[in-house]
Amino acid sequence: MSAVRISKITITPVAFADPPLLNAVGVHEPFALRAVVEVDTDAGLTGLGETYADEQHLAALRAAAAAVEGADVYHTEEIYRRVQAVAAPDAVIASGLIGHSAATDRVFSPFEVACLDIQARAAGRPVADLLGGAVRDEVPFSAYLFYKWAAHPGADPDGWGEALDPGGIVAQARRMVDAYGFTALKLKGGVFPPEQEAEAIRALRRAFPDHPLRLDPNAAWTPATAINVARDLDGVLEYLEDPTPGIDGMAQVARLAPMPLATNMCVVAFAHLPPAIRDDAVQVVLSDHHYWGGLRRSGLLAGICETFGLGLSMHSNSHLGISLAAMAHLAAATPNLTYACDTHWPWKTEDVVAGDPFTFSGGALHVPDGPGLGVELDRDALARLHEQYLRSGIRTRDDTGYMRRLHPSYERRQPRW
Amino acid sequence: MSAVRISKITITPVAFADPPLLNAVGVHEPFALRAVVEVDTDAGLTGLGETYADEQHLAALRAAAAAVEGADVYHTEEIYRRVQAVAAPDAVIASGLIGHSAATDRVFSPFEVACLDIQARAAGRPVADLLGGAVRDEVPFSAYLFYKWAAHPGADPDGWGEALDPGGIVAQARRMVDAYGFTALKLKGGVFPPEQEAEAIRALRRAFPDHPLRLDPNAAWTPATAINVARDLDGVLEYLEDPTPGIDGMAQVARLAPMPLATNMCVVAFAHLPPAIRDDAVQVVLSDHHYWGGLRRSGLLAGICETFGLGLSMHSNSHLGISLAAMAHLAAATPNLTYACDTHWPWKTEDVVAGDPFTFSGGALHVPDGPGLGVELDRDALARLHEQYLRSGIRTRDDTGYMRRLHPSYERRQPRW
């Protein structure tokens, strides 16, 4: 048995066009950022990972890359320790709740995915087979609906059109369901006063009587507002996602809300699980391998959810095809991931992945057959999106700053209503 | 990618000589039972697992074997589901606390280990590499001390001699430490009144001033007795294992005991973790892949312990070399398994494993280099120990029944003191 050692790591920040999607803290900028992580080995096999590309995160990735060169790709626990030793102090996220191990988890994730890609390629098997194997061949995703402008100011319309009221949201949902076959609908809220967003949910219910519905105001509401909206939407929502900030606030709402509360904001690290479970603050956790420490640690999260009777869904930021493949393998191999996953996929027009390895049918994605993640880099596209990154001038995602440049009176407030 | 399908499963019950070790429910019979599970595949690779061989468990293993033939060895989640569907109802353990998934975990375990053995052999890597890779090359084990008779009635002495008082226990510890270099000592208690066993612990402390010490009376004490002994041994024990039965009783003791409480009795399934954590009933869980559903689910247990701030050690029943190899790979790849593991290894004089792949040094076992588990069957030995099983007449472990045949007035009582 000879080791398969990491000989080189290449981290390439890229920018891809993103529509003006509105949320609780502002609006998506014209370009979203991602970092593509390529791991080369002395055995000739290469693996891919994808993660955030904010400046501080890129610095942490580069420090980690230097630290893990020479490691055996099968020794991911050892790689985790090396990442923890060098990258975590630089990667602590603004939230005071995020501790040392959470910072490590975020930096470690793309390296772990790339190492599993390599291991799976070596075995001639899909990555899902390193996680216990797929229990489903098709992974269901939800339509991720956004309030949005027709175009970025000064730019051409993006083709999706404006969606600033219930009619616009229903039209957007119709188009997305027609194209992908999604069987669940999620509305990103926190943009308009809650009664307007509740009205949009009711319009979706009328237009799609059988689709499970979710509303995610990204902690824009006080607990009292959240309780009122939750009661108002009793029987309409599959779950209500992050209505209010913090574990304490969510616990207050959970005691009176008639539907489960989901989160990707107040439980985003293993350290958040004990208090959230103790207080029954959330009933569904949205997994995300980008910040839960890669695919195997996301499997740990899934097992914790199963053990403690929590539901499990999957969160998405704007992402490219490497992440979609990783999400699909993880979801396929997670028995208790029973909610349709989130994805920003339909909003994206550019990618670094070669060809089109992704087939949606009935809202579900066929898990790429592999070996490995089942995706390859398109090097021309990678170079083009890297050039776009350099030209874009965007170095850290700033939805609020972009909104304030357009609307100087805009203020970031949490909660807002 | 072609599947690696299970083409045949062979389950062989074996019996191996076991000394008259005393415990809270009686005494070890002259032979201990184990089942050797061989999984053959259409790709020509074979994997090994080892588990209990009590009659009811054997029946469940055979039903599960029939159900998983044809499955892909990489699809262990699918195999889990097949086992759950057929074997669990037959495998429910006597304890009312053990539910459906725990029964599945016990039956599934040897098949999972064998599948990982095959996957690792195919990759040319040790099994630890399927679990994130070894974070330690040497796995520390503890000396497992027992009160014992000099010989089984009517049989020749076993060479270890009698140990029925503190002097006998210290002599036994000395011999075991001299032979293996163990740096931690565990005494199986619950045999004599607690003050006598506390005296043995104090004698061990005097003879081995630097060895961490553990006492395990197997739930033989009431909570009040347990609290008294715990206070009496303040500063002497590393942890006190299962002093009293049940999560409620353990929680009572834990509130007043000065040292951590460990368990392999009141938390033996995932369903036991939420109440035990809620009540802070135990501070250390003894992992055991034979009943926690194999190596990956034992990894889940480890992650839960880390997340919720529980310590993690490892339990052992009388076992052969296949289990020792699996325990070593698991322990090597579990970052937070920081206590020396239990093993009955020194008490065993026969095995089914070829050669001697196990090297203890300073009380630690060098992890077999693999590929796979790093052990092979000695077919002559397997046939011999199977013959011994057939001749022994023992079909279900019964320490109490054996004791009562020798001492008819013996009664099983829990708690006893």
Side-chain angles (χ1 to χ4, degrees):
Chain A
M1 290 172 310
S2 54
V4 177
R5 298 204 180 276
I6 296 174
S7 55
K8 194 175 94 179
I9 295 177
T10 310
I11 298 167
T12 309
V14 298
F16 61 98
D18 201 22
L21 307 177
L22 295 158
N23 60 33
V25 297
V27 58
H28 284 208
E29 296 169 271
F31 296 99
L33 308 185
R34 297 293 273 183
V36 173
V37 175
E38 297 171 73
V39 173
D40 293 339
T41 61
D42 57 9
L45 289 162
T46 298
L48 296 173
E50 179 190 330
T51 181
Y52 320 106
D54 287 355
E55 207 151 37
Q56 195 182 25
H57 189 64
L58 272 181
L61 290 173
R62 287 177 179 133
V68 306
E69 281 191 17
D72 187 329
V73 297
Y74 289 87
H75 291 184
T76 51
E77 290 291 351
E78 159 72 12
I79 290 171
Y80 189 85
R81 290 176 169 206
R82 293 196 193 187
V83 171
Q84 193 163 41
V86 302
D90 298 319
V92 175
I93 307 300
S95 161
L97 279 173
I98 308 249
H100 192 75
S101 100
T104 303
D105 283 336
R106 273 172 205 248
V107 178
F108 170 69
S109 175
F111 300 106
E112 191 243 18
V113 172
C115 286
L116 295 184
D117 191 18
I118 293 165
Q119 290 182 32
R121 284 169 189 266
R125 310 285 309 198
V127 162
D129 278 2
L130 303 183
L131 309 171
V135 293
R136 54 185 73 87
D137 296 328
E138 310 282 332
V139 173
F141 283 85
S142 63
Y144 202 158
L145 310 175
F146 280 85
Y147 290 108
K148 69 180 291 293
W149 298 331
H152 283 286
D156 292 335
D158 57 44
W160 282 93
E162 184 177 272
L164 297 172
D165 56 22
I169 291 296
V170 168
Q172 184 186 100
R174 181 70 64 198
R175 175 171 165 185
M176 213 175 269
V177 166
D178 285 349
Y180 291 88
F182 294 122
T183 57
L185 308 174
K186 163 173 169 165
L187 175 60
K188 173 65 78 183
V191 177
F192 295 111
E195 55 274 21
Q196 290 183 36
E197 300 187 347
E199 190 42 53
I201 290 291
R202 276 189 289 265
L204 287 169
R205 169 52 66 237
R206 287 189 295 272
F208 300 92
D210 299 323
H211 282 58
L213 302 178
R214 311 163 185 175
L215 175 58
D216 172 18
N218 273 129
W221 305 339
T222 65
T225 300
I227 290 163
N228 285 338
V229 179
R231 286 173 166 162
D232 185 37
L233 293 175
D234 185 10
V236 183
L237 291 181
E238 174 181 38
Y239 58 64
L240 177 58
E241 183 179 332
D242 287 311
T244 201
I247 288 172
D248 290 350
M250 289 286 278
Q252 277 183 59
V253 178
R255 282 194 284 275
L256 296 168
M259 71 285 287
L261 301 190
T263 187
N264 72 290
M265 295 182 72
C266 76
V267 178
V268 296
F270 289 95
H272 301 154
L273 287 162
I277 288 169
R278 183 194 62 213
D279 297 344
D280 196 17
V282 303
Q283 291 71 51
V284 180
V285 176
L286 274 69
S287 170
D288 184 329
H289 74 270
H290 303 90
Y291 60 78
W292 283 98
L295 304 182
R296 285 210 180 111
R297 282 175 72 78
S298 295
L300 168 58
L301 170 64
I304 291 174
C305 286
E306 184 168 50
T307 299
F308 288 87
L310 293 172
L312 186 67
S313 187
M314 191 181 281
H315 170 253
S316 149
N317 286 114
S318 302
H319 64 84
L320 298 167
I322 301 167
S323 281
L324 185 66
M327 292 161 70
H329 284 280
L330 172 62
T334 305
N336 60 319
L337 201 152
T338 48
Y339 290 101
C341 304
D342 288 348
T343 179
H344 287 68
W345 190 254
W347 296 110
K348 185 186 61 65
T349 55
E350 304 174 292
D351 213 315
V352 296
V353 157
D356 184 10
F358 302 110
T359 313
F360 281 90
S361 172
L365 176 63
H366 184 79
V367 181
D369 290 321
L373 290 171
V375 295
E376 306 290 341
L377 277 182
D378 174 336
R379 299 220 159 261
D380 292 341
L382 180 69
R384 194 165 61 244
L385 296 195
H386 177 59
E387 272 302 312
Q388 191 157 269
Y389 166 81
L390 295 174
R391 283 198 317 272
S392 74
I394 301 171
R395 292 296 174 267
T396 295
R397 177 177 174 174
D398 184 10
D399 292 17
T400 306
Y402 182 50
M403 180 65 99
R404 285 172 61 87
R405 288 199 299 282
L406 305 167
H407 298 279
S409 68
Y410 183 84
E411 280 179 39
R412 179 168 181 158
R413 277 193 286 147
Q414 187 194 65
R416 192 182 295 278
W417 291 283
Chain B
M1 290 171 309
S2 54
V4 177
R5 298 205 180 276
I6 296 174
S7 55
K8 194 176 97 181
I9 295 177
T10 311
I11 298 167
T12 309
V14 298
F16 60 97
D18 201 21
L21 307 177
L22 295 158
N23 59 33
V25 296
V27 59
H28 284 209
E29 296 167 271
F31 295 99
L33 307 185
R34 297 294 272 184
V36 174
V37 175
E38 297 172 73
V39 173
D40 292 340
T41 62
D42 56 9
L45 288 163
T46 299
L48 297 174
E50 178 190 331
T51 182
Y52 321 104
D54 286 355
E55 207 151 36
Q56 193 182 28
H57 189 64
L58 272 180
L61 290 174
R62 287 178 179 132
V68 306
E69 281 191 18
D72 187 330
V73 297
Y74 288 86
H75 291 185
T76 50
E77 289 290 351
E78 160 70 13
I79 291 171
Y80 189 86
R81 289 176 169 205
R82 294 195 193 187
V83 171
Q84 193 163 41
V86 301
D90 298 319
V92 175
I93 306 302
S95 161
L97 281 172
I98 306 249
H100 191 75
S101 102
T104 303
D105 283 335
R106 272 171 206 247
V107 178
F108 171 67
S109 176
F111 301 105
E112 190 241 21
V113 171
C115 287
L116 295 184
D117 190 19
I118 292 164
Q119 290 183 33
R121 284 170 190 266
R125 310 286 309 196
V127 162
D129 278 3
L130 303 183
L131 309 172
V135 294
R136 54 184 74 86
D137 296 329
E138 308 282 331
V139 173
F141 283 85
S142 62
Y144 203 157
L145 310 175
F146 280 83
Y147 290 107
K148 70 181 290 293
W149 297 331
H152 283 287
D156 291 335
D158 55 47
W160 282 95
E162 183 178 271
L164 296 172
D165 57 22
I169 292 295
V170 168
Q172 183 186 101
R174 181 69 65 199
R175 175 170 163 185
M176 213 176 269
V177 167
D178 286 349
Y180 292 87
F182 294 121
T183 57
L185 307 175
K186 164 174 170 167
L187 174 61
K188 174 65 79 184
V191 177
F192 294 110
E195 54 274 20
Q196 289 183 38
E197 299 187 350
E199 189 43 53
I201 290 292
R202 276 189 289 268
L204 287 169
R205 171 50 68 237
R206 287 188 295 273
F208 301 90
D210 300 322
H211 282 58
L213 301 178
R214 311 163 185 174
L215 175 59
D216 172 17
N218 273 130
W221 304 339
T222 65
T225 300
I227 290 164
N228 285 339
V229 179
R231 286 174 166 161
D232 184 37
L233 293 176
D234 185 10
V236 183
L237 291 181
E238 174 181 38
Y239 57 65
L240 177 58
E241 185 180 330
D242 288 312
T244 201
I247 288 173
D248 289 351
M250 288 287 276
Q252 277 184 58
V253 177
R255 282 194 284 276
L256 296 168
M259 71 284 287
L261 300 190
T263 187
N264 70 291
M265 294 181 73
C266 75
V267 178
V268 297
F270 288 94
H272 302 153
L273 286 163
I277 287 169
R278 183 194 61 214
D279 297 344
D280 196 18
V282 302
Q283 291 71 50
V284 180
V285 176
L286 272 69
S287 170
D288 185 328
H289 74 270
H290 303 90
Y291 59 80
W292 284 98
L295 304 183
R296 285 211 180 109
R297 282 175 72 78
S298 295
L300 168 59
L301 170 64
I304 291 174
C305 286
E306 182 168 50
T307 299
F308 288 85
L310 293 172
L312 186 67
S313 187
M314 190 181 283
H315 170 252
S316 149
N317 285 116
S318 301
H319 64 85
L320 298 168
I322 299 167
S323 281
L324 185 67
M327 293 161 71
H329 284 280
L330 172 62
T334 304
N336 59 320
L337 201 153
T338 48
Y339 291 100
C341 303
D342 287 348
T343 180
H344 288 68
W345 190 254
W347 296 109
K348 186 187 59 64
T349 54
E350 302 174 294
D351 212 315
V352 295
V353 157
D356 185 10
F358 301 112
T359 313
F360 281 90
S361 172
L365 176 62
H366 184 80
V367 181
D369 290 321
L373 290 171
V375 295
E376 307 290 341
L377 277 182
D378 175 334
R379 299 217 160 263
D380 292 340
L382 180 69
R384 194 166 61 244
L385 295 196
H386 177 60
E387 272 302 313
Q388 194 157 266
Y389 166 82
L390 296 174
R391 282 199 318 271
S392 75
I394 301 173
R395 290 298 174 266
T396 294
R397 177 178 173 174
D398 183 9
D399 291 17
T400 306
Y402 182 50
M403 181 66 100
R404 285 172 61 87
R405 288 200 298 281
L406 305 168
H407 298 278
S409 68
Y410 183 84
E411 281 180 39
R412 181 171 180 155
R413 277 192 288 145
Q414 188 194 63
R416 192 181 295 277
W417 289 283

